[in-house]
Amino acid sequence: MSEGMVRDLDPREAIRLIQDGGGDPELLILDVRTPQEHERIRIEGSVNLDLHSPAFLAEVSALDRRKAYLVYCLVGVRSRAAAEAMARLGFGEVFNLAGGIRSWTKLGLPTVGR
C-alpha cells in the first residue's frame, strides 16, 4: 500500500475545499478532538474520532481510503498527528487544518455546537 501525503490548509483554503466540494460525499471532515470538545463547537458535518481514544486506529482504519479527508483539532497538533497516521495507513488525500478550529473561528467561519 502506498503512503499518502498530508497537505496543510489554512482556514481560507479549507473552506474553499469544503465549498468547492458542494457537500461532496467524497470529502469527509474529521474532528480528532474529544467528544466533549466536538459537542461544544465544530465544523458542520464533521465526524468525531478522538485521537486519544484507544479505538482511534481501528476506527480510522475502517474509513474509506478513496475519500478525501479534512482533519482538524483545536490548534492543529492532534490533527497533524492523525493526518500523518492516516497517510501511513494508505489514505491518499489527507488535508490538515493548520491552526485548527481556533484559527477557523478567528476568521468568523461557520461552526455549530452548544
Side-chain angles (χ1 to χ4, degrees), residues 50-66:
D50 183 355
L51 175 65
H52 295 305
S53 163
F56 179 77
L57 278 177
E59 292 169 340
V60 158
S61 293
L63 296 174
D64 187 344
R65 285 166 173 73
R66 295 168 298 188

Side-chain angles (χ1 to χ4, degrees), residues 20-99:
D20 290 350
D24 185 346
E26 296 304 308
L27 173 67
L28 194 134
I29 305 168
L30 186 60
D31 181 344
V32 296
R33 299 174 300 152
T34 66
Q36 295 81 9
E37 289 174 295
H38 179 77
E39 182 64 28
R40 198 167 26 254
I41 186 170
R42 64 193 171 279
I43 297 173
E44 187 171 11
S46 61
V47 172
N48 182 226
L49 294 181
D50 183 355
L51 175 65
H52 295 305
S53 163
F56 179 77
L57 278 177
E59 292 169 340
V60 158
S61 293
L63 296 174
D64 187 344
R65 285 166 173 73
R66 295 168 298 188
K67 292 186 181 220
Y69 293 86
L70 173 62
V71 186
Y72 76 94
C73 63
L74 181 63
V75 296
V77 175
R78 286 176 282 178
S79 60
R80 183 73 191 171
E84 288 174 356
M86 292 173 74
R88 285 191 300 275
L89 288 168
F91 287 81
E93 272 193 288
V94 184
F95 302 96
N96 176 52
L97 177 58

